[in-house]
Amino acid sequence: MNAPAPVQGRWSKVEFYASYFLMVVLASVILTRLGFAEVWSVPRLDIVLGVIALVLMVASVWIARRRRGLRLLIVGYAAATQLLPMTFRHPEILLPLIGALIPVVIAIWALVALSRKDLHERRTPGS
C-alpha cells in the first residue's frame, strides 16, 4: 500500500515544467516591455530583439518540445535580450542584478542536486 512511486522521469518532468514556466514568465516580461514601447521610448534594437525572442519562445513549444538544449538556449537568448541592453545603457542596475543572481544560483544548484539524486536512484533501485 505504501509502495514508493516510480523514480524514472522525475528529473525530466521537473526540468520540463521549470523551463516552460520560465519561458512563460519571460514571454510575459517581453510582452509587457513591448507593450510599453508605445508609452515610453524604447530603442529600436530592443524592440527587434524582443520580437525575435518572443517569436522564438512561442515557436519553441513546437520546435524544442523534445530538445532540452534548444529550449534552454532559447530561454538564455530571451533573458540576454532583456538584460544586456539595459545593463549597457544603465550600468548602475548591475548591482541589483548581481543580488538577484543569488536566488537563481540557489535554484540551479537545487535542480542539479535533484538530477544527481535521480541518477543515483536509477542506478540503485530498491533504495
Side-chain angles (χ1 to χ4, degrees):
M1 185 155 187
N2 288 333
V7 177
Q8 286 183 309
R10 280 190 202 164
W11 166 247
S12 62
K13 285 183 182 180
V14 168
E15 185 276 327
F16 178 81
Y17 289 116
S19 65
Y20 277 106
F21 177 74
L22 183 58
M23 289 186 346
V24 167
V25 169
L26 279 172
S28 66
V29 168
I30 293 170
L31 276 173
T32 303
R33 193 160 180 227
L34 290 174
F36 281 119
E38 293 290 322
V39 178
W40 294 300
S41 64
V42 177
R44 187 172 300 274
L45 178 65
D46 289 6
I47 293 173
V48 170
L49 290 175
V51 168
I52 292 170
L54 189 61
V55 167
L56 280 175
M57 291 183 71
V58 169
S60 72
V61 174
W62 296 279
I63 296 171
R65 67 177 170 251
R66 303 220 188 271
R67 297 175 65 193
R68 174 178 34 196
L70 187 57
R71 207 168 38 244
L72 293 176
L73 186 68
I74 291 171
V75 168
Y77 172 77
T81 61
Q82 300 305 300
L83 294 175
L84 291 179
M86 288 189 298
T87 55
F88 285 140
R89 286 189 199 95
H90 305 285
E92 63 272 7
I93 67 169
L94 192 59
L95 191 61
L97 285 176
I98 291 172
L101 191 63
I102 294 169
V104 172
V105 169
I106 292 171
I108 290 171
W109 172 77
L111 289 173
V112 168
L114 275 174
S115 72
R116 289 187 180 172
K117 179 180 178 187
D118 188 38
L119 286 175
H120 177 69
E121 287 178 0
R122 282 188 194 173
R123 288 185 191 146
T124 57
S127 36

